[in-house]
Amino acid sequence: MVPVMPDDPRLKLAVQKSGRLTEPSLDLLSRCGLKLSRGKDQLMGFGENMPLDVLFVRDDDIPDLVQEDVCDLGLVGLNVLEEKRLELAARGHPARFQCVRVLDFGRCRLSLAVPEGVAFGGLSSLAGKRIATTYPYLLGRYLRERDVSAEIVVLSGAVEIAPRLGRADAICDLVSTGSTLQANHLREVETVLESHAALIRTPVALPPGKDEWVQRLLKRIEGVQQVRESKYILLHAPRAALAQIRRLLPGCEAPTIIPLEGHPDKVAVHAVCRENVFWETLEDLKKAGASALLVLPVEKMLD
Ligand code: PRP
Ligand code: ZN
């Protein structure tokens, strides 16, 4: 267990130790400027250039670590958060962790799947059957809301092999790329919950120094997420076509218009587009009269 030091001036952020969210979580932190001094195989990473340390833990433990104030922040999937919320509610407690940012990675779904050769005639065909899962509360609610009564077999992992071992007729597990299901000859049949990663924080008020870093981190995360979608676009446009070209620029508020030396009828347009610029857009811009088109990635952004 992680030692609790109430007066520790350094922020503690919990990240999944090994799983789908580990790499994108560390990538996000590194894009936010954090340099970690230890490898992810160790329990803790020390932030060299920020008063922030990363704890590597099981994702299922992250909501508790944060709401019990052992960690100040956590990067975790909505699937884990919602399961925890339902579990706490069943015991008469409200969840105390606070969700402060929805993140643009970790997209997946909690789904029901059956063995490949087995026919599936809708959810009601699972009535009276055994469904293995590590998400008994989310699955229980889903079945209850649809008036289907099935036996929920609660496992702590390796759910995908339960049908082969004869322990269940179906499973309810996370699907991201679908390769785990495929490798285990299972077929996805119903979605129980759509999920993505989120940043959660402790319910406890933080001392000003720590809180300031939380705010800075939130701003940087916003910048990182904006930048992932944004592009810097440069082009030449006939003055006459400027209005139409501006309308074609995706998610762009105010482009910079620069006169072109020796070409009174033409201008250069520089713009930050807050949406991805696709080939189709470039082709449309060209048709509208644009030339010398250039699309560049944006590295950092701060509004
Ligand atoms: C989930 C899930 C599957 C895998 C599915 O694990 O339990 O093993 O991801 O992904 P795929 O469709 O791309 O194959 P996760 O990393 O969330 O860890 P955990 O369930 O072991 O906590
Ligand atoms: Zn887990």
Side-chain angles (χ1 to χ4, degrees), residues 2 6 14 16 31 59 69 72 114 133 148 154 195 223 260 273 283:
V2 180
Q16 185 182 27
R31 283 173 197 269
D59 62 344
D69 204 30
D72 307 291
V114 297
T133 191
V148 173
V154 187
S195 181
L260 277 175
C273 294
E283 286 157 5

Side-chain angles (χ1 to χ4, degrees), residues 75 93 127 186 238 245 254 257:
L75 287 170
H93 302 296
L186 294 162
I245 282 172
I257 315 286

Side-chain angles (χ1 to χ4, degrees), residues 19-91:
R20 288 172 313 108
L21 296 183
T22 311
E23 210 191 293
S25 298
L26 291 176
D27 178 62
L28 174 69
L29 293 172
S30 130
R31 283 173 197 269
C32 286
L34 178 71
K35 287 196 167 57
L36 277 185
S37 73
R38 280 187 218 171
K40 62 179 175 186
D41 46 327
Q42 301 196 21
L43 188 66
M44 197 149 153
F46 179 80
E48 287 174 16
N49 55 344
M50 285 188 206
L52 185 153
D53 299 327
V54 174
L55 274 82
F56 296 99
V57 296
R58 281 187 48 208
D59 62 344
D60 314 64
D61 292 336
I62 294 177
D64 277 338
L65 287 171
V66 172
Q67 72 173 1
E68 285 161 16
D69 204 30
V70 178
C71 292
D72 307 291
L73 299 165
L75 287 170
V76 66
L78 195 69
N79 49 299
V80 170
L81 293 177
E82 288 308 299
E83 178 71 9
K84 185 48 106 181
R85 239 187 256 283
L86 293 178
E87 183 194 327
L88 288 164
R91 295 210 223 112

